[in-house]
Amino acid sequence: MQKASFLGVTLLALSLAACRQHTPSNTVHTDTLHLQDSSLVAPPVVDTPVVPDTMFTATDSLRITEVQLLGKWSRPVQGKEGETEGFELKPKGRIRNLRITPYSMIYDSWSLRKDSLILKSHMQHVMEPVVEVDTSLVTGISDTSLVLFPIRAAQGYEERYTRVGHRK
């Protein structure tokens, strides 16, 4: 009886192997491949009405004026003890570097858009200078300090500046 069951299982395995079709390795089995085109998926139906953005006010943004930003702002140069870098923000979008080194970014102009400080600059000593636009969120400001979060920076990074001299 054991020989008969062994023989039956062996015959079944051989017949399955014989029935299996061998396909080349570059052939794709479309009957077993399940693809989903996300462009065909309908968005979920929501009964909640759409509220325009104009109805919301940002409560976490600072109210900043250009007058608050005017003046000289500096910070320590990372890795160079005793050295500082920074800029002087002047009226009408004028700006001046406080420290220029070879290959420094030379500031061209500045502007304020709500709580974002926009600095335009170019690289010194370059044959074809490219205008660089740096946008930073002003996350803190006082009479003596300025805290910026550059929008291209990693989460948690910030630049801390100290006011140089007295505000005029």
Side-chain angles (χ1 to χ4, degrees):
M1 182 106 168
Q2 281 185 330
K3 285 185 181 181
S5 354
F6 177 73
L7 185 58
V9 171
T10 305
L11 285 175
L12 180 62
L14 288 174
S15 63
L16 286 174
C19 291
R20 178 186 267 167
Q21 293 180 354
H22 295 287
T23 57
S25 61
N26 62 353
T27 303
V28 177
H29 297 281
T30 56
D31 58 333
T32 59
L33 184 63
H34 300 287
L35 296 176
Q36 182 177 3
D37 184 356
S38 62
S39 66
L40 301 176
V41 177
V45 178
V46 180
D47 293 334
T48 309
V50 176
V51 180
D53 289 338
T54 56
M55 295 185 71
F56 295 104
T57 57
T59 57
D60 60 344
S61 64
L62 295 175
R63 291 189 181 265
I64 304 162
T65 64
E66 288 187 14
V67 173
Q68 289 175 285
L69 291 171
L70 294 178
K72 295 178 182 179
W73 298 98
S74 71
R75 67 179 182 160
V77 176
Q78 291 182 348
K80 295 191 177 184
E81 191 173 327
E83 292 188 34
T84 60
E85 64 184 357
F87 45 81
E88 180 180 6
L89 300 178
K90 298 179 175 187
K92 299 181 182 178
R94 294 176 311 175
I95 188 171
R96 181 177 72 91
N97 286 62
L98 293 184
R99 177 178 181 265
I100 298 176
T101 62
Y103 306 104
S104 288
M105 294 300 288
I106 304 300
Y107 294 113
D108 298 316
S109 65
W110 72 278
S111 61
L112 178 66
R113 301 280 188 265
K114 295 188 180 190
D115 59 354
S116 295
L117 177 62
I118 301 162
L119 301 174
K120 291 183 181 176
S121 61
H122 67 277
M123 183 64 85
Q124 177 175 279
H125 302 297
V126 177
M127 295 298 283
E128 295 181 29
V130 176
V131 173
E132 180 85 22
V133 179
D134 292 318
T135 304
S136 297
L137 183 66
V138 179
T139 59
I141 188 167
S142 71
D143 287 341
T144 58
S145 67
L146 173 65
V147 182
L148 301 177
F149 171 69
I151 60 168
R152 295 185 208 165
Q155 188 68 22
Y157 175 80
E158 61 186 18
E159 295 176 350
R160 294 184 167 274
Y161 292 86
T162 302
R163 188 181 297 275
V164 178
H166 296 286
R167 197 165 86 184
K168 295 179 180 178

